[in-house]
């Protein structure tokens, strides 16, 4: 077992968790309301801005407890922001509000670490 906390803290400013949970139930689940398409929209938006993987990772996840027939659940950590009813068309506005139009609002601590190491986000 290797502890990787410091490495991940240096690499990441945020993680976007997108529910794609699929379940055989009478209750709504994100897989049935576009979870995969929403996940792809998040990933594409970040890639277009050079912010995918460094400094913002995207995690496909199971249930976040915000099930709805109206869209997917998303959580952004460590910002502790939670969203429900997200459709792929909502992703640009949601991520712009969170990170800025060009994902320029990543944390100051992340930018300082990158400046100190001479690295750029991938």
């Amino acid at each position: 077992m290797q502890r990787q906390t410091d490495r991940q803290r240096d690499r990441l400013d945020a993680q976007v968790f997108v529910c794609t949970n699929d379940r055989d139930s009478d209750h709504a689940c994100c897989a049935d309301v576009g979870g995969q398409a929403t996940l792809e929209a998040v990933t594409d938006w970040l890639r277009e801005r050079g912010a995918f993987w460094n400094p913002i990772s995207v995690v496909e996840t199971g249930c976040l407890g915000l099930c709805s027939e109206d869209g997917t659940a998303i959580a952004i950590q460590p910002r502790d922001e939670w969203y429900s009813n997200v459709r792929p068309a909502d992703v640009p506005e949601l991520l712009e509000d969170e990170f800025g139009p060009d994902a320029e609002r990543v944390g100051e601590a992340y930018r300082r670490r990158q400046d100190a190491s001479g690295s750029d986000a991938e």
Side-chain angles (χ1 to χ4, degrees), residues 57-112:
S57 74
V58 179
V59 179
E60 180 176 4
T61 187
C63 189
L64 293 171
L66 298 172
C67 304
S68 168
E69 293 178 359
D70 296 322
T72 302
I74 290 180
I76 301 176
Q77 298 301 337
R79 289 171 164 79
D80 202 24
E81 295 292 337
W82 298 76
Y83 299 90
S84 63
N85 305 332
V86 179
R87 298 287 186 166
D90 300 325
V91 167
E93 180 181 357
L94 185 154
L95 295 181
E96 283 179 22
D97 287 349
E98 205 53 52
F99 302 116
D102 294 314
E104 72 276 3
R105 283 198 315 255
V106 295
E108 289 295 321
Y110 176 82
R111 284 196 295 273
R112 281 194 303 274

Side-chain angles (χ1 to χ4, degrees), residues 7 29 42 48 63-64 73 76 78 87 97 102 114-116 119:
R7 177 176 170 247
C29 67
V42 168
E48 289 168 6
C63 189
L64 293 171
I76 301 176
R87 298 287 186 166
D97 287 349
D102 294 314
Q114 294 307 304
D115 289 346
S119 300

Side-chain angles (χ1 to χ4, degrees), residues 14 25 28 45 56 65 70 83 88 109:
S25 171
W45 190 92
I56 303 165
D70 296 322
Y83 299 90

Side-chain angles (χ1 to χ4, degrees), residues 2-50:
Q2 285 185 309
R3 185 174 177 271
Q4 297 290 328
T5 304
D6 293 338
R7 177 176 170 247
Q8 290 299 84
R9 283 183 183 153
D10 287 345
R11 183 176 74 80
L12 293 174
D13 179 61
Q15 290 184 290
V16 180
F17 293 86
V18 181
C19 179
T20 59
N21 190 48
D22 189 7
R23 67 172 163 235
D24 187 17
S25 171
D26 292 337
H27 301 284
C29 67
C30 290
D32 292 342
V33 293
Q36 193 64 41
T38 302
L39 174 69
E40 291 168 13
V42 168
T43 300
D44 290 347
W45 190 92
L46 292 169
R47 277 193 175 127
E48 289 168 6
R49 286 151 184 83

